Amino acid sequence: MAGQSPLSRWKPFFAAFGLVDAAIEAAGPALRRDEIRSARGEVVELLCGVPAGDARKAEELCVALDGFMAESLLTLKEVPAEAVPRVLASSADLPKAVGALRLHHQSARIRELARDVTRGWTATVEGDVARAKERFDAVRGVNNNKAAPEGASRRPLPEAKRESPEEKERMEATKRKLREGYREAEDAKRQRTIQVIAAPKTVEQRRREMHPILRERSRARCGSSTAVVRRSLVSSFNRI
């Protein structure tokens, strides 16, 4: 169409570039897009400078922009599943922008890549929901197993039985008998442990208990020793 800007083909999709770049950077700090932005900006400037009648030059630059978008969608597609929540949280307009590329862009390759990205997001979200539901069901099942049967909590607790004065008296008497029994057992134990130490036997007592023959020999030895002592004393006196 005469007088139509060469940017008309990309005008509805320019916002998608910034949204996709922000989503990729949200997936990880290493995925910086500064160089891509700079190179893409140069292409846009060249496209803006193309005369309206130079359709061939404009198409070449639009194809270059298609290449930038394809690279962006491929990078977004390769984002790990655990980073998808951060990607989707980067902007509420991101799904709408990628959906517009999937439905309305002239490049079949870009439409296909946009479709793959949205499918990956859907699978990740559905998987997260399924796992969350499984965890919820598991926790609920555990709680149900621990819960008391219906009506059990409504059943009144039995009242504590109160003791009558007679029962208290019998209990006290039983306690006294037990204490007395313990004391008697302790006294008997102490008496059994007392040992009476007898005085040592004298020589005369041991002699009485000796056999008669041994007793006679002992007396003979004592008599002989006495005679020797007497002779020694007499000899000593005679010398004096």
Side-chain angles (χ1 to χ4, degrees):
M1 183 182 297
Q4 185 179 15
S5 170
L7 294 176
S8 59
R9 173 181 168 184
W10 263 101
K11 186 176 181 179
F13 310 110
F14 267 120
F17 279 117
L19 294 172
V20 172
D21 287 342
I24 293 172
E25 290 176 339
L31 301 176
R32 299 299 303 172
R33 305 288 292 173
D34 296 335
E35 294 183 1
I36 300 295
R37 288 192 187 95
S38 178
R40 188 175 64 229
E42 293 178 1
V43 173
V44 173
E45 289 180 1
L46 292 174
L47 186 59
C48 291
V50 174
D54 195 350
R56 186 180 63 83
K57 184 65 173 179
E59 182 62 23
E60 290 178 357
L61 294 174
C62 285
V63 170
L65 288 179
D66 290 348
F68 280 110
M69 180 54 74
E71 183 275 335
S72 298
L73 292 174
L74 279 172
T75 304
L76 190 60
K77 178 183 175 183
E78 298 301 323
V79 167
E82 59 270 16
V84 168
R86 295 195 299 272
V87 168
L88 295 176
S90 63
S91 175
D93 296 329
L94 177 65
K96 182 179 178 181
V98 176
L101 291 171
R102 179 175 63 88
L103 295 174
H104 305 298
H105 200 277
Q106 292 183 7
S107 171
R109 176 166 173 73
I110 289 179
R111 291 197 303 269
E112 181 181 357
L113 289 173
R115 183 166 50 250
D116 292 342
V117 169
T118 55
R119 285 176 178 173
W121 289 347
T122 302
T124 300
V125 172
E126 289 178 352
D128 291 342
V129 171
R131 285 188 292 272
K133 185 177 183 300
E134 289 177 359
R135 289 194 294 269
F136 174 76
D137 292 341
V139 172
R140 185 175 60 180
V142 171
N143 292 336
N144 289 339
N145 292 335
K146 291 182 179 179
E150 185 178 357
S153 58
R154 302 176 185 175
R155 189 179 303 165
L157 296 175
E159 296 183 359
K161 185 179 179 181
R162 297 181 179 179
E163 296 180 350
S164 63
E166 293 80 6
E167 291 177 344
K168 290 183 178 180
E169 182 61 28
R170 286 197 297 270
M171 183 64 69
E172 292 297 329
T174 302
K175 291 180 180 179
R176 286 194 297 271
K177 290 181 181 180
L178 288 174
R179 285 194 292 268
E180 292 174 359
Y182 290 150
R183 283 197 296 270
E184 291 176 359
E186 289 295 327
D187 293 342
K189 183 178 180 181
R190 282 195 295 270
Q191 289 178 1
R192 286 196 300 270
T193 57
I194 296 175
Q195 296 180 356
V196 179
I197 302 175
K201 295 181 180 180
T202 62
V203 176
E204 187 62 28
Q205 288 174 337
R206 287 198 299 271
R207 185 178 297 171
R208 293 196 197 99
E209 295 175 358
M210 292 172 63
H211 193 275
I213 296 175
L214 296 177
R215 188 164 52 245
E216 291 298 329
R217 290 180 179 176
S218 177
R219 288 176 180 175
R221 283 197 298 270
C222 290
S224 175
S225 299
T226 304
V228 171
V229 171
R230 286 177 180 175
R231 285 196 297 271
S232 298
L233 290 174
V234 171
S235 175
S236 299
F237 286 133
N238 290 333
R239 291 193 189 96
I240 296 172

